[in-house]
Amino acid sequence: GFPPLQGHVVRNWKVRWFVLLQDKLLYYKIEGGKKEPSPKGRILLDGCTITCPCLEYENRPLLIKLKTKTNTDYFLECCSREERDSWALDITGAIHAGHPVQVQELHRMKNSFKLLENISLHNIVERMYDSSTGIKLTRNLDQGNRYKETFTGSALVDWLISNSFAVSRFEAVTLASMLMDENFIRPVGVRSTEATRSSDPSEKFLDDSTALYMFAESSKKNTSSKEEVHFNISELSGTIVKQGFLVKQGHKRKNWKVRKFVLRADPGFLHYYDPTKEDNKPVGGFSLRGCLVSALEDNGVPAGVKGNVQGNLFKIITKNDIHYYIQASSKAERVQWIEAIKPLT
């Protein structure tokens, strides 16, 4: 089964269950914790162009954009970089199925990225911010506009190599593109912004002394509204161990909703987010210390569970005796989640 992604036609985000066939992508609604039997819509892949990563929504770095032959845009959001890249590869493979050369090229690309997966981007960014050994921020002019606190593309490449994060300029450009994809740095000014529209991933970041970039953080506006559930910075500071879409039963109305779950370690917390919201803040979460987690057998509906549920259920009971009922999309996925949560309890 494929994980749920999101699609939209009107400019609001909806959770949909996607299935990739040879020449089309079908999407289904999820009602009461079940995928509806007939698809809500389809995206024909013939003549489609794919943009991944797609940077049109600043706070959604995990998007894939599909533009159909008839110029309809679809934005699909994944829940991790690995998932995004594997969907993008599979969809691109389906689009180019008639052209074996391009498919080979894709596999070559996929393998060359393996190099970099063990590098922590957070670690690089922290080092970049370091006041003595970090990247030097300078004022720069671009087409008559003055920018404070920027650095050039070639300066970043030099810095990555001199700090041994990369061995070649090519590798440094790949890393810099990843920093841009993940929204750690952003292009400033015409030259570098234009390049991000290139369809060739190796040309999105420019190793050039006229292309300007800055930390994405410094541009974030600090906005907060009063009625939010507040989460302690420390509980959101752990390393992300696993993330994905699961279906959760609500506490009050007992209705099933798709939520994006993020599991963190040191400290061990499980937070969940509403994927239709723009702000990327958790709508709930709890410490895993002292929790009990167990699979619920698929025969018969357990007490406390409402609705016509598909199965692959598991249950987490927190230290304060709050019961969470959660559904995975397959038995294997349920096992993976339970095994990831257990060591953190």
Side-chain angles (χ1 to χ4, degrees), residues 258-273:
V258 175
R259 292 290 176 250
K260 177 176 162 179
F261 279 80
V262 177
L263 177 65
R264 293 181 173 87
D266 306 314
F269 272 85
L270 186 60
H271 290 98
Y272 49 95
Y273 298 75

Side-chain angles (χ1 to χ4, degrees), residues 285-312:
F286 49 91
S287 163
L288 292 168
R289 190 167 295 148
C291 281
L292 297 170
V293 55
S294 60
L296 294 173
E297 279 331 302
D298 295 339
N299 41 5
V301 177
V305 171
K306 271 239 174 97
N308 178 0
V309 173
Q310 204 140 19
N312 307 315

Side-chain angles (χ1 to χ4, degrees), residues 20-23 45-51 88-107 109 199:
L20 177 62
L21 302 179
Q22 221 165 359
D23 56 344
L45 296 177
D46 180 45
C48 232
T49 52
I50 181 169
T51 309
L89 267 145
D90 291 341
I91 293 170
T92 309
I95 293 172
H96 294 318
H99 317 286
V101 179
Q102 273 165 311
V103 175
Q104 268 172 347
E105 183 60 20
L106 273 168
H107 284 293
M109 257 173 60
S199 57

Side-chain angles (χ1 to χ4, degrees), residues 119-137 156 159-166 179 184 215:
I119 290 178
S120 153
L121 296 179
H122 283 277
N123 176 17
I124 294 178
V125 174
E126 244 165 66
R127 287 275 298 278
M128 282 173 73
Y129 270 111
D130 186 295
S131 53
S132 54
T133 58
I135 189 149
K136 298 282 169 274
L137 298 177
L156 177 55
W159 184 89
L160 287 166
I161 293 170
S162 67
N163 284 276
S164 333
F165 286 117
L179 289 169
F184 289 115
F215 287 119

Side-chain angles (χ1 to χ4, degrees), residues 197-243:
R197 303 203 173 93
S198 160
S199 57
D200 182 345
S202 64
E203 290 166 11
K204 286 189 192 303
F205 177 88
L206 299 176
D207 174 4
D208 187 306
S209 59
T210 63
L212 302 182
Y213 297 89
M214 70 189 291
F215 287 119
E217 272 310 304
S218 53
S219 68
K220 288 231 164 52
K221 293 163 197 58
N222 297 330
T223 50
S224 73
S225 69
K226 286 287 167 276
E227 66 286 306
E228 285 159 14
V229 190
H230 278 290
F231 291 95
N232 195 324
I233 285 296
S234 69
E235 64 180 79
L236 291 166
S237 68
T239 318
I240 294 180
V241 181
K242 185 170 174 56
Q243 49 184 331

